[in-house]
Amino acid sequence: MHVSSKVNSLAFSGTMQISGKAKELKAQGVNVIDLSVGEPDFPTPQRVKDAAVKAIADNQTKYTMAAGIVPLREAVGAWFKQSYGLDYAANEIIISNGAKHSLYNTLQTIIEVGEEVIIPAPYWVTYPALVEIVDGVPITVETTKEEGFKLTPEKFKAAITPKTRALILCNPSNPTGSVYTKAELEEIAEIVLENDLYVISDEIYSKLVYDDFEYTSFPTLSDEIKKKTILIDGVSKSYSMTGWRIGFTAADKELISGMGKLQSQMTSNASTISQYAALEAITGPQDDVEEMRKTFNERRIYLRDALNLIDGVEAGDAKGAFYLFPNVSSVFGKSYGDTKINGSFDLSMYLIAEAQVATVPGSVFGAEGFLRIAYATSMENLQEGVKRIEEALAKLS
Ligand SMILES: Cc1ncc(COP(=O)(O)O)c(C=O)c1O
């Protein structure tokens, strides 16, 4: 068999590996508490499911324009306007097969072979892989817990070379849950403009922000910065629609037209039925989104406070997405029986084996010393998960 060296060099998504392991154990009847997931546990809102059924009944089951149906592209424009006051026309928006596909289209459209893309770490695992797929070079820049896991202007400047084409900003962040303030984004924006870079602003979690944090969408900073921003969003996280595979990209119309050409050759349109479902999701009553956000917030507060009470765990106070990224490095070097915990991967494996709790090791996201714990599960599961983690950590010495 011949598998190309490019594909051979790719790793399976680390997060999917862990949730795969959790699913496998569950299938064997093991009572696993899965805190590794990257998707909301709520069902897709009924009104959205009804819209999909109606689309099928109305025979909306054929190809659409590759870039997506115009009503949805217009609605996405109106949604950005209503959410952030941004102006995007339908020809500045493309609908793709999930935000992951939007990111691929973007990178393939703007990156020449060998060009560098700056990725602050901890990063969502897919970013470096996608940059490599398009023959770019991912340049990861470490950020610390003390910096709130956010890119500082100094570190950003230091990472720029003549080959840098773009910065990927994940705001709010998967895996840390951090959210950038407007002032922090302005400092980044200044450097972006000075160096004529693109910013790929992945705002897929932007509707999941807590504690009255005033969220700033990157392209709102100025008209100049809007021209240099490729805004990524979608319905997966905010509307609990991960399986429907709809992502949005908003950018300058020349870039969108390039992405449309690419998409027309690669996948054609995103699922027609899902496009109609997404249209309902963003144009219908938004109470369900707010309900989900409130529930996430209650879980976030519980989990943060409960984790902080465990010896050896420092949960921090993330204000977005549905993840906490606690520092667990103080248990490294400890053992239980023959199991020695040398790092976050060992700890994650230990927690699955010993406590049947699935978490994702920080090392997967380029940040040793931490675990990603998702609160996209019920309060009962969180309580049971915390109890099991506490008991398992107490056994280590
Ligand atoms: C930061 C980030 N961006 C993009 C995506 C992809 O979203 P989608 O399911 O719409 O492809 C995810 C999903 O985990 C994510 O965490």
Side-chain angles (χ1 to χ4, degrees):
M1 277 314 139
H2 174 77
V3 176
S4 75
S5 47
K6 187 190 267 189
V7 167
N8 257 334
S9 71
L10 289 175
F12 263 104
S13 156
T15 45
M16 287 196 171
Q17 248 173 311
I18 305 274
S19 31
K21 173 97 190 143
K23 283 195 178 109
E24 191 186 304
L25 286 173
K26 273 190 216 163
Q28 291 165 12
V30 179
N31 172 15
V32 177
I33 302 288
D34 193 353
L35 308 181
S36 73
V37 289
E39 60 183 351
D41 54 318
F42 309 107
T44 299
Q46 191 58 45
R47 62 185 177 89
V48 174
K49 293 193 274 194
D50 291 345
V53 171
K54 181 170 184 308
I56 295 173
D58 291 348
N59 292 313
Q60 301 292 2
T61 54
K62 303 288 177 68
Y63 293 132
T64 69
M65 279 170 73
I69 55 172
V70 172
L72 178 56
R73 292 160 75 193
E74 283 173 351
V76 172
W79 186 68
F80 282 134
K81 176 82 180 169
Q82 197 189 12
S83 304
Y84 313 121
L86 285 165
D87 284 306
Y88 286 108
N91 63 358
E92 294 171 308
I93 287 164
I94 177 168
I95 312 301
S96 303
N97 298 275
K100 198 179 257 191
H101 185 214
S102 310
L103 285 159
Y104 166 76
N105 280 343
T106 298
L107 287 162
Q108 190 65 276
T109 301
I110 63 171
I111 302 299
E112 300 287 349
V113 174
E115 282 185 343
E116 294 173 357
V117 178
I118 296 176
I119 304 173
Y123 46 75
W124 181 45
V125 286
T126 295
Y127 297 145
L130 285 181
V131 171
E132 280 167 5
I133 287 172
V134 306
D135 295 319
V137 181
I139 303 293
T140 57
V141 177
E142 200 184 305
T143 68
T144 65
K145 192 172 173 75
E146 294 65 43
E147 292 159 352
F149 296 118
K150 294 185 254 187
L151 182 65
T152 62
E154 296 71 34
K155 286 187 176 173
F156 181 27
K157 271 189 210 155
I160 295 171
T161 76
K163 286 190 171 171
T164 310
R165 172 67 70 190
L167 163 72
I168 302 183
L169 215 52
C170 187
N171 183 34
S173 156
N174 174 7
T176 66
S178 3
V179 195
Y180 284 82
T181 63
K182 185 171 186 194
E184 288 163 345
L185 293 176
E186 279 170 344
E187 288 185 315
I188 290 175
E190 203 176 304
I191 302 166
V192 165
L193 293 176
E194 272 166 23
N195 292 276
D196 197 24
L197 307 178
Y198 282 122
V199 172
I200 302 168
S201 192
D202 182 349
E203 305 190 7
I204 190 93
Y205 294 97
S206 60
K207 295 280 185 279
L208 298 174
V209 174
Y210 315 105
D211 283 351
D212 297 325
F213 190 95
E214 215 170 292
Y215 182 74
T216 303
S217 171
F218 198 76
T220 61
L221 293 177
S222 68
D223 284 346
E224 254 181 311
I225 206 74
K226 181 167 172 263
K227 285 195 194 95
K228 302 302 292 183
T229 305
I230 296 117
L231 174 59
I232 309 286
D233 211 317
V235 291
S236 295
K237 314 288 176 171
S238 329
Y239 295 89
S240 203
M241 290 178 68
T242 46
W244 299 75
R245 312 309 303 134
I246 294 289
F248 310 146
T249 311
D252 177 273
K253 66 178 188 313
E254 251 179 81
L255 294 181
I256 293 295
S257 157
M259 292 178 212
K261 196 162 53 167
L262 176 66
Q263 186 161 299
S264 75
Q265 296 292 8
M266 288 201 61
T267 59
S268 302
N269 59 279
S271 153
T272 305
I273 300 153
S274 295
Q275 289 189 61
Y276 281 93
L279 181 59
E280 166 58 35
I282 62 171
T283 57
Q286 300 293 295
D287 321 291
D288 33 34
V289 182
E290 182 53 15
E291 273 311 303
M292 289 192 266
R293 193 192 68 84
K294 278 190 184 149
T295 306
F296 276 134
N297 191 35
E298 284 161 17
R299 296 166 174 181
R300 178 186 71 97
I301 291 167
Y302 163 73
L303 186 65
R304 178 197 64 196
D305 295 349
L307 287 175
N308 273 330
L309 289 176
I310 300 179
D311 236 9
V313 181
E314 230 186 279
D317 185 25
K319 303 244 186 264
F322 39 69
Y323 309 105
L324 293 180
F325 203 61
N327 185 343
V328 287
S329 57
S330 74
V331 306
F332 294 175
K334 294 188 177 179
S335 309
Y336 176 61
D338 290 342
T339 311
K340 178 144 194 234
I341 310 296
N342 290 312
S344 58
F345 185 79
D346 291 352
L347 183 59
S348 205
M349 287 299 145
Y350 169 73
L351 289 176
I352 287 210
E354 197 53 41
Q356 290 79 51
V357 177
T359 58
V360 188
S363 55
V364 162
F365 308 104
E368 188 46 285
F370 303 87
L371 286 183
R372 189 189 78 175
I373 303 190
Y375 45 92
T377 188
S378 69
M379 193 63 110
E380 297 77 64
N381 278 345
L382 289 177
Q383 285 163 347
E384 177 63 20
V386 165
K387 186 170 139 263
R388 291 188 193 182
I389 292 174
E390 185 166 19
E391 285 165 3
L393 293 187
K395 289 184 193 166
L396 295 169
S397 57

